[in-house]
Amino acid sequence: MPRLARRRLSLLVGTAANTLIPLVLLPCLAVVLGRLPDTDGCSGLITGLALVGAMPVAAGATVWGGRAGGNHSLVVGTVLASTMLSPLTIPLMLSVASTVTRGHYAHDLSRMAATDGGAFAVISVIVPCAAGLAVRRLTPRPVLERHLPWSGLLGVVAAVLLTYSNACGALGGFLFHPRPALLVAAVAVAGALCAASFAIGWCLARTVRADRADTVAITLSCGMNNSSAGAVLAATHLPSSPQVLLPVLAYSLLQKCGAGLADSVLRRSAGTGAREPGPSRTKDTNDRAGG
């Protein structure tokens, strides 16, 4: 927290952009999808994007941020800040989505925004986060050092089970009644939202003249959302519309691919920047040594 106090602007930009970017892009995507020959204006796809866009910054952003040399404190700060704000931001996003969808999707989103969005954020996002922080704080260090590797393995197993259970909910009916056009559309719109979020996050970081570590943190905070929470919300509140899970699962996969691509690009740019002045410094050192 003391480190974040010196980066208030970066923390504000990363947290606000994670909420505002989907709010701006979703109506734009709705206009484009509304031109397609679909009876409900692709409202199912828009609903799925709204559910994942409404979620706070994914905790996985801390891992990717560390790999890319980002400001780890800033990434953790955006995760915590967006999580604490989720009881307000989730209903806001769902309300906006209800205005650009049709039929029962609009009704369901409006109902969730009014009655379930804030409660879901508190029960399913904030409480587990706070519980994890409390357990970590209260557990003696020797116990942590002994059992931490096993807890990491359990986390991987839990993530795999959650991913496959969500995929079964979405793809079970899809396998019996294939709709290739729907699958392609889900991947396309999820990819568009994901790529735009990463790109806008990078541009915002450059606009506020953030250093490289903060640029990495802001970029990943804008492009990565807690898609697992969005999948749970879709499966529990829209069980009769499993196709809503398709863009959620597509975004979950694509945001990791985007984070890996951003990692490679930022590493390459950092390596290029570090190598460019190298020869001149070496030559200057040799000249001084020779003199």
Side-chain angles (χ1 to χ4, degrees):
M1 291 303 171
R3 295 180 183 177
L4 292 177
R6 297 191 296 268
R7 286 178 163 80
R8 291 186 296 272
L9 179 60
S10 296
L11 178 62
L12 177 63
V13 170
T15 304
N18 178 262
T19 300
L20 296 178
I21 289 175
L23 282 175
V24 173
L25 293 180
L26 192 68
C28 299
L29 288 173
V31 171
V32 175
L33 293 174
R35 299 179 180 277
L36 298 179
D38 189 80
T39 55
D40 60 5
C42 294
S43 292
L45 297 180
I46 299 172
T47 300
L49 292 180
L51 293 179
V52 70
M55 296 302 128
V57 180
T62 60
V63 178
W64 291 102
R67 283 175 50 88
N71 184 337
H72 195 265
S73 298
L74 180 57
V75 181
V76 173
T78 56
V79 171
L80 291 176
S82 61
T83 299
M84 294 301 109
L85 291 173
S86 59
L88 301 175
T89 57
I90 290 177
L92 174 63
M93 184 66 184
L94 298 182
S95 296
V96 172
S98 68
T99 64
V100 295
T101 51
R102 305 176 188 174
H104 72 89
Y105 295 106
H107 174 74
D108 291 337
L109 287 169
S110 180
R111 174 180 51 81
M112 284 190 287
T115 60
D116 301 319
F120 172 83
V122 173
I123 296 173
S124 302
V125 181
I126 292 181
V127 170
C129 181
L133 291 173
V135 170
R136 173 66 177 83
R137 184 75 174 177
L138 297 174
T139 304
R141 182 177 293 275
V143 177
L144 282 176
E145 293 176 350
R146 190 182 314 118
H147 297 289
L148 195 60
W150 291 105
S151 65
L153 179 60
L154 291 176
V156 172
V157 173
V160 171
L161 290 177
L162 179 62
T163 300
Y164 274 95
S165 63
N166 289 333
C168 290
L171 300 180
F174 183 83
L175 293 177
F176 288 104
H177 305 284
R179 298 175 62 184
L182 177 63
L183 179 61
V184 171
V187 174
V189 295
L193 179 62
C194 184
S197 298
F198 276 109
I200 294 174
W202 182 84
C203 292
L204 288 174
R206 303 301 295 174
T207 300
V208 299
R209 298 183 179 180
D211 59 27
R212 182 186 176 278
D214 285 9
T215 297
V216 172
I218 294 173
T219 301
L220 295 181
S221 296
C222 293
M224 302 194 73
N225 290 72
N226 190 340
S227 56
S228 296
V232 170
L233 189 61
T236 55
H237 289 77
L238 297 168
S240 61
S241 304
Q243 67 273 17
V244 172
L245 277 169
L246 286 178
V248 177
L249 297 175
Y251 195 98
S252 178
L253 174 63
L254 292 173
Q255 72 177 355
K256 296 175 179 61
C257 297
L261 179 60
D263 179 7
S264 301
V265 172
L266 292 170
R267 281 172 178 265
R268 192 179 302 114
S269 63
T272 303
R275 286 194 298 269
E276 286 176 352
S280 61
R281 287 201 302 267
T282 303
K283 181 179 183 300
D284 185 57
T285 302
N286 292 337
D287 290 344
R288 288 200 301 270

